Amino acid sequence: MAQVRSVITGTGSCLPLRHIPNDAFLEHAFFEGEGQPYPAGETARMVAKFQEITEIAERRYVSEDRVASDLALDAAEKALASAAIDPETLDYLIVAHNFGDVTEGSRQCDQVPTLAARVKARLRIANPFCVAYDLPFGCPGWLQAMIQADYFLRSGDAKRALVIGAETLSRVSDPCDRDSLIYADGAGAVVLEAQAHDEPVGILAHATRTDTLDHGGLLRMGRSFDLDRNDGQLYIKMQGRKLYEYAIATVPGLVRLSLERAGLSLEQVDKVLIHQANGKMDEAILKRLFRLYGMTEMPAGIMPMTVSWLGNSSVATVPTLLDLVVRGQMEGHTLNSGDHVVFASVGAGMSINAMVYRWPSQR
């Protein structure tokens, strides 16, 4: 008997044009902590060590004249074109982000009206019942927006949703903090539609958890490490080692829970699309996931990665990665009818989520 399934029918992404290689930071004055300058002459060694740990060799920054909603609009237009639908038929337009529109030279977050409202207006959507709202949920925000949209679609409340993740972390990172090398800008979007299918396809299951008691401060906002700046602005800060430990301790178990809810085993998974925060961390998460199933060998090519050349664009990493795979722009990676895909993310909160998806056949 046919059931309503939430199916991805279009994807899009926006990759900023400014390529920022690690060498661009060799002349920066970094600090190890508040008021603690990094040892003179050690920057090159630090940058090399950073790449070894994270695998990030370059990242993308937005141009001076653009903000997050510009990137969101670009990704949205591509997703809508890919789905070949009329934007007026959208029931929901959700934008996941954390800092709103931040202009060049300013740290102030502009979130009124919502980025979703801005994108809806610029798409010239007149339909008042296309509900546009933002979702701040740390780096897992886009995936959580997909989970919310799935509930809307399967309930019968909606037929189509446009789900976007957009961020410009380069505008809110402390240039004196070596952790700033991780951050990047970008946007990704998908069109999610309710379709009747006889077989289980589309979103099969998902799971989310938030751990605040001991982990709420691992990612936060704080003042610059260079106390002489004293500009009263707040910058994104993280406790990298503790965040790494939290992620590898919790993400594998949540992925397993989502697979159990879908009635699947790890052997049936064809791709794992995980938040692109740190290459070594993602590898550690995948290895621990396989160990949960008593497996030591991981299939080659199961986890496509973009972090080495795109960096960490927060909510944008997973939808961008998906779009690149769908469009055949990730060498050696494709998605075919019947493939099972696991999406997973981790970020400020601390929150983690996972979603299991089965790629449908083309109609």
Side-chain angles (χ1 to χ4, degrees):
M1 180 178 178
Q3 294 185 22
V4 174
R5 311 285 183 177
S6 299
V7 176
I8 295 169
T9 59
T11 66
S13 61
C14 177
L15 305 181
L17 299 179
R18 293 177 61 197
H19 296 245
I20 311 296
N22 287 348
D23 287 353
F25 297 94
L26 294 179
E27 301 303 319
H28 273 48
F30 288 102
F31 287 67
E32 294 185 279
E34 290 189 2
Q36 304 173 38
Y38 203 77
E42 288 294 304
T43 301
R45 185 193 64 80
M46 182 272 289
V47 171
K49 186 66 175 178
F50 164 84
Q51 182 169 340
E52 177 186 334
I53 294 172
T54 66
E55 299 183 358
I56 298 174
E58 64 175 304
R59 72 283 296 142
R60 299 290 182 93
Y61 283 0
V62 69
S63 58
E64 294 181 358
D65 60 335
R66 307 195 81 194
V67 291
S69 60
D70 293 319
L71 307 185
L73 176 66
D74 191 352
E77 290 175 334
K78 292 174 182 174
L80 290 167
S82 173
I85 66 165
D86 181 353
E88 293 290 343
T89 64
L90 290 170
D91 298 294
Y92 282 90
L93 195 165
I94 311 171
V95 177
H97 67 91
N98 296 288
F99 298 100
D101 281 347
V102 184
T103 58
E104 181 75 11
S106 170
R107 303 287 170 181
Q108 184 170 344
C109 301
D110 177 3
Q111 303 184 66
V112 180
T114 64
L115 268 60
R118 298 176 196 197
V119 172
K120 179 182 175 180
R122 293 177 67 183
L123 288 172
R124 307 302 297 168
I125 297 174
N127 175 13
F129 297 104
C130 171
V131 179
Y133 71 91
D134 290 359
L135 180 62
F137 195 69
C139 292
W142 176 81
L143 191 50
Q144 197 63 25
M146 290 287 286
I147 291 170
Q148 288 188 2
D150 176 50
Y151 281 119
F152 295 147
L153 269 58
R154 287 191 296 108
S155 73
D157 178 63
K159 297 296 184 183
R160 285 174 172 163
L162 175 61
V163 185
I164 308 167
E167 200 69 90
T168 54
L169 292 182
S170 67
R171 300 265 170 89
V172 294
S173 59
D174 181 2
C176 303
D177 184 346
R178 55 188 173 182
D179 286 340
S180 66
L181 274 67
I182 288 177
Y183 303 126
D185 308 332
V190 305
V191 173
L192 194 66
E193 297 192 49
Q195 295 182 349
H197 286 267
D198 293 325
E199 59 180 354
V201 296
I203 297 176
L204 303 183
H206 38 71
T208 306
R209 62 182 277 182
T210 300
D211 299 286
T212 60
L213 292 182
D214 298 319
H215 305 94
L218 298 188
L219 271 165
R220 59 181 180 82
M221 300 301 288
R223 61 181 179 176
S224 173
F225 282 171
D226 182 0
L227 301 184
D228 291 336
R229 294 176 71 90
N230 194 28
D231 54 10
Q233 300 294 326
L234 297 179
Y235 303 82
I236 189 169
K237 297 289 175 180
M238 72 175 179
Q239 298 181 43
R241 185 63 197 178
K242 290 184 178 180
L243 193 156
Y244 177 96
E245 293 170 351
Y246 168 81
I248 63 173
T250 57
V251 175
L254 194 80
V255 170
R256 181 173 184 171
L257 175 60
S258 68
L259 285 170
E260 290 172 350
R261 289 178 175 177
L264 298 174
S265 65
L266 185 59
E267 293 91 337
Q268 293 171 276
V269 174
D270 298 285
K271 293 291 180 188
V272 175
L273 304 187
I274 192 168
H275 170 47
Q276 303 290 290
N278 177 318
K280 289 290 192 293
M281 184 179 81
D282 288 351
E283 291 171 9
I285 289 171
L286 192 65
K287 288 179 180 178
R288 184 164 293 197
L289 172 62
F290 272 77
R291 285 205 299 270
L292 288 180
Y293 286 84
M295 302 164 64
T296 57
E297 294 295 323
M298 297 183 295
I302 193 172
M303 187 172 69
M305 299 288 289
T306 59
V307 71
S308 66
W309 57 285
L310 290 181
N312 174 5
S313 56
S314 185
V315 294
T317 68
V318 177
T320 295
L321 176 59
L322 172 64
D323 181 54
L324 293 173
V325 172
V326 168
R327 293 177 184 271
Q329 295 177 13
M330 293 288 291
E331 186 176 354
H333 295 284
T334 58
L335 288 172
N336 303 302
S337 175
D339 282 356
H340 289 107
V341 184
V342 169
F343 298 82
S345 192
V346 54
M350 291 295 290
S351 294
I352 56 175
N353 49 21
M355 183 177 80
V356 183
Y357 186 93
R358 187 183 183 205
W359 211 255
S361 57
Q362 295 297 319
R363 289 191 167 189

